[in-house]
Amino acid sequence: MLIGSSKKFRRADFASVVISEIMTVHSSARTDIAVPYDDSAGDTLIALNDIDLVYDLDGPQPFPALEAIDLNLNQGDFICAIGPSGCGKTSLLRVLAGYERPTHGVVSVDGRPHTKPDSEVGVVFQQPNLFPWLTIEKNVNFGPRMKGIDAHERRQRVSYFLEMVSLIDAAKKLPHQLSGGMKQRAAIARALAADPKVILMDEPFGALDAFTRESMQMSLHEIWTKTGKTIFFITHDVEEALLLSNRIILMYPNPGRIVEDIANPFSAMLSDTAPSDLRVSRDFIEMREYLVRRIKESGEY
Amino acid sequence: MPVQIDPIETDRISVQRAKKSASRPKKSLGVSPRVLSFTAIAAAIVLWFVVTTLGWVDPQFFPSPQSVWSAFINILQNGYKGQSLIAHIGSSMRRLLLAFVMSFSLAVPLGLASGYFKPVQAVLDPFIEFYRPLPPLAYYTLIVIWLGIDDESKVALLFLAGFAPLYIAMVAGVRRVPRDRINAALSLGSSQWQVFTQVVFPSCLPELFTGLRTALGFMYTTLVAAEMVAARSGIGWMVLDASKFLRSDIIFVGILIMGVIAIAIDLGLRWLQNYYLPWVGRE
Ligand SMILES: Nc1ncnc2c1ncn2[C@@H]1O[C@H](COP(=O)(O)OP(=O)(O)OP(=O)(O)O)[C@@H](O)[C@H]1O
Ligand SMILES: [Mg+2]
């Protein structure tokens, strides 16, 4: 155990050396640990082109929530969005989902414009938001049923995803009979079962206690590696972002914009390193401190 | 070394705790509310006995429990004015049921449509808002002129009494469906029609039940009033007719029967709601 983790430490050290070299070449303004994410390496799944979102555009006090957002989400990425409260993370997610119509710019999924919510883009809300009159298995069954998939395949899908989030025993229960963590897992299973091209998650673990949260993070990471889904995940917890993603975007408010878009140097280690080991490694702490500082820096407005 | 928690042990403790707190309701004198209610009812009946046997009230106006009971048995066996008691209750219930089916099948779809499509509401609301606050007996006279004093006018009146509260409850129900619940359904691939039938309608079921209970309450009070104005049968008519002959024992019988029926209907609806919608209030 000890030997294993020290090996990983060395790997992390090595990574940070490489990172700092790249950094000095590309951007001298930033502290040397943040490597910009190179989105040209993968296949673009979702493209945001010059997105503005203004709330109450015709009202007495229009509010610019997003300004000039350019973002390409690649197939199979796990993107975490972090930033201070009110910086527009949820607004960005709602634009991606098609719940808010951008004031300017286009969202496209797989090259086609995406203007309304549909089954290509799945959403897991901050509150589980399950249908309270349907049992857990019927909630998970909802997406496939709407799509008209035949009963036999639906049954298989439902039990596959219930198994994945370990809720087989709760299949016949109603949402109000489940704990908060179980409900949130059911919501994830429901989103997955509809087989979207991308899943958007808005602080899905925000309301959970520390233990449940950690086990949910681990199962979500495992689900991501298993399914290879593209995931866009909002959190205000820097550590959570570092433990889940392969790419982190940092947003600042007034107006909401993306100020950092970096590759998570720890993403390759997540599958074979326990989070508890990773958390105490020097590079991890440095990276976390760096991001926390960057978030705090925004607070001068 | 992680702390091991034995699941069986915690289960046992929590079950014990649950039992303990369940057997002791909050803020009580150590008696369950149900026992208190029954005691109060029993006390009232005893008081009724005492007051009437001691002759403190004139039995002409305030009959004893015994004479009410014997009037009840008498009506049960011989009927009232040519019709059995069951037939009187039956004709009241038939009017209620007919009107209920009519207002249900119109108010629910119209209320849903109004809540979902603004133009529908814009057309319907002025009329409903106008007639809703009117006392039913005010326009009853008009309905009687149009439809006569038979069942048609009563059913029409009851229909109007039940329609407004049910319609309004449905509109409010649709308005209260959380936006993100609809968004979630859309993101799971629902069409607009599927959203309406699979999400909006079930979301409104709690309001539907509340609306049903309110509507039945209105219809019931209106029913008795309607039968008192123009009728030849029904439990309301029986009470009014008995009053012409100062038969207070029969009036008592009629009032008690009305009360019991109303309670039974409401209990039935509440039971249906708890059975079919166990999730209400616990979302
Ligand atoms: N419907 C709305 N109408 C007007 N302003 C809004 C609306 N929704 C959000 N805002 C404003 O837009 C800004 C961004 O809000 P948003 O919810 O996107 O922030 P967030 O980054 O998700 O914050 P948090 O971390 O607290 O959830 C906030 O200042 C908020 O007041
Ligand atoms: Mg938010």
Side-chain angles (χ1 to χ4, degrees):
Chain A
M1 183 64 191
L2 264 175
I3 298 165
S5 59
S6 71
K7 223 189 248 165
K8 260 134 218 162
F9 277 24
R10 251 182 275 127
R11 224 164 78 187
D13 284 340
F14 172 70
S16 90
V17 170
V18 176
I19 289 162
S20 38
E21 275 169 15
I22 298 170
M23 282 312 299
T24 42
V25 175
H26 284 278
S27 146
S28 49
R30 286 191 185 130
T31 326
D32 60 345
I33 44 177
V35 186
Y37 182 84
D38 177 17
D39 64 18
S40 63
D43 303 328
T44 304
L45 177 63
I46 298 188
L48 296 179
N49 276 318
D50 198 15
I51 297 283
D52 291 345
L53 177 68
V54 182
Y55 286 118
D56 302 319
L57 185 58
D58 303 319
Q61 278 184 315
F63 183 90
L66 297 173
E67 199 169 273
I69 303 275
D70 273 308
L71 186 66
N72 284 340
L73 305 185
N74 286 342
Q75 180 68 46
D77 269 358
F78 195 135
I79 302 105
C80 273
I82 57 174
S85 182
C87 69
K89 303 183 293 291
T90 300
S91 303
L92 179 57
L93 178 137
R94 294 182 74 85
V95 167
L96 281 167
Y99 300 162
E100 302 286 350
R101 199 194 173 81
T103 323
H104 183 267
V106 200
V107 181
S108 45
V109 176
D110 253 355
R112 284 187 302 276
H114 184 258
T115 51
K116 289 197 208 84
D118 62 25
S119 60
E120 296 201 328
V121 181
V123 178
V124 177
F125 298 80
Q126 181 156 14
Q127 299 305 318
N129 202 0
L130 297 166
F131 303 118
W133 58 89
L134 295 179
T135 59
I136 295 308
E137 72 182 353
K138 287 190 176 148
N139 262 285
V140 177
N141 186 38
F142 192 89
R145 186 161 63 91
M146 293 300 111
K147 287 178 152 181
I149 289 166
D150 73 274
H152 176 70
E153 198 198 321
R154 266 179 6 219
R155 256 195 309 279
Q156 282 182 336
R157 260 207 222 185
V158 168
S159 54
Y160 176 77
F161 287 108
L162 281 179
E163 177 95 61
M164 182 178 281
V165 297
S166 14
L167 278 178
I168 290 286
D169 293 339
K172 300 266 189 266
K173 288 190 176 166
L174 286 170
H176 75 263
Q177 296 168 311
L178 267 57
S179 74
M182 290 162 93
K183 274 190 265 204
Q184 207 51 270
R185 275 183 289 169
I188 293 171
R190 181 178 71 171
L192 284 166
D195 197 25
K197 290 184 172 149
V198 56
I199 298 191
L200 316 174
M201 299 184 166
D202 192 352
E203 296 195 37
F205 309 148
L208 305 180
D209 66 275
F211 284 109
T212 320
R213 198 183 165 98
E214 189 172 323
S215 82
M216 294 287 295
Q217 286 167 354
M218 281 159 73
S219 28
L220 179 61
H221 193 267
E222 202 182 307
I223 288 169
W224 176 58
T225 39
K226 250 190 226 169
T227 60
K229 277 269 177 269
T230 311
I231 298 180
F232 178 87
F233 187 102
I234 294 176
T235 176
H236 59 254
D237 180 350
V238 171
E239 197 164 283
E240 183 167 72
L242 289 170
L243 288 176
L244 286 174
S245 69
N246 67 337
R247 173 182 183 187
I248 297 177
I249 60 174
L250 171 66
M251 293 179 70
Y252 272 12
N254 291 340
R257 61 199 190 275
I258 297 172
V259 293
E260 293 247 23
D261 182 357
I262 58 177
N264 179 3
F266 308 103
S267 89
M269 295 164 223
L270 290 168
S271 45
D272 55 357
T273 315
S276 50
D277 293 337
L278 204 55
R279 253 193 226 115
V280 293
S281 77
R282 213 193 66 223
D283 294 298
F284 189 88
I285 294 172
E286 238 169 53
M287 187 72 181
R288 195 187 63 205
E289 293 305 314
Y290 168 73
L291 288 172
V292 168
R293 198 172 64 242
R294 291 285 285 147
I295 292 177
K296 279 192 187 141
E297 278 167 10
S298 75
E300 287 144 17
Y301 59 92
Chain B
M1 177 78 195
V3 184
Q4 288 282 327
I5 300 170
D6 180 359
I8 296 169
E9 185 67 13
T10 47
D11 267 7
R12 200 166 51 82
I13 293 169
S14 61
V15 167
Q16 274 173 358
R17 277 216 200 129
K19 275 188 185 154
K20 226 186 209 169
S21 60
S23 65
R24 202 191 307 142
K26 304 164 229 162
K27 262 196 247 166
S28 76
L29 312 164
V31 195
S32 87
R34 190 161 298 200
V35 171
L36 271 178
S37 300
F38 277 111
T39 318
I41 294 170
I45 292 174
V46 168
L47 190 70
W48 184 14
F49 256 111
V50 172
V51 165
T52 48
T53 27
L54 293 182
W56 291 354
V57 288
D58 183 351
Q60 267 271 265
F61 301 124
F62 208 102
S64 66
Q66 303 92 305
S67 64
V68 171
W69 179 251
S70 64
F72 173 64
I73 297 296
N74 185 22
I75 296 174
L76 199 59
Q77 282 163 352
N78 307 322
Y80 184 82
K81 298 273 167 87
Q83 276 193 58
S84 70
L85 179 63
I86 298 303
H88 281 297
I89 295 177
S91 60
S92 289
M93 290 303 116
R94 209 175 64 84
R95 290 163 190 152
L96 197 64
L97 189 72
L98 270 174
F100 178 75
V101 169
M102 279 170 61
S103 49
F104 182 87
S105 45
L106 261 168
V108 172
L110 284 181
L112 284 170
S114 272
Y116 209 58
F117 308 107
K118 281 262 159 60
V120 180
Q121 189 181 24
V123 170
L124 290 178
D125 260 17
F127 301 101
I128 290 163
E129 290 302 325
F130 174 73
Y131 98 81
R132 189 177 60 95
L134 294 176
L137 290 188
Y139 49 83
Y140 187 33
T141 46
L142 202 56
I143 298 179
V144 169
I145 294 173
W146 290 340
L147 298 174
I149 65 160
D150 288 328
D151 273 4
E152 288 87 347
S153 59
K154 288 179 192 59
V155 172
L157 183 74
L158 299 191
F159 160 73
L160 286 173
F163 179 84
L166 198 49
Y167 168 86
I168 286 166
M170 291 315 286
V171 174
V174 176
R175 286 286 142 79
R176 227 173 290 152
V177 182
R179 185 70 232 171
D180 275 347
R181 189 180 283 173
I182 293 173
N183 281 337
L186 289 171
S187 291
L188 290 166
S190 305
S191 64
Q192 283 294 332
W193 178 245
Q194 282 170 325
V195 167
F196 191 68
T197 58
Q198 309 289 319
V199 176
V200 174
F201 179 65
S203 292
C204 292
L205 286 177
E207 276 87 2
L208 175 64
F209 266 89
T210 323
L212 283 184
R213 285 174 60 196
T214 330
L216 268 172
F218 275 124
M219 289 165 87
Y220 198 68
T221 41
T222 315
L223 166 75
V224 174
E227 288 181 342
M228 285 183 166
V229 175
R232 283 171 300 216
S233 67
I235 198 81
W237 172 77
M238 188 180 94
V239 168
L240 191 84
D241 194 64
S243 76
K244 288 181 192 148
F245 306 98
L246 279 182
R247 288 293 305 271
S248 55
D249 50 347
I250 295 178
I251 298 178
F252 265 62
V253 170
I255 289 174
L256 286 175
I257 290 174
M258 286 178 205
V260 168
I261 292 173
I263 292 173
I265 291 175
D266 200 55
L267 277 182
L269 275 176
R270 286 225 298 246
W271 181 85
L272 279 177
Q273 168 162 6
N274 286 339
Y275 186 80
Y276 285 107
L277 309 175
W279 49 273
V280 172
R282 299 188 231 175
E283 293 162 54

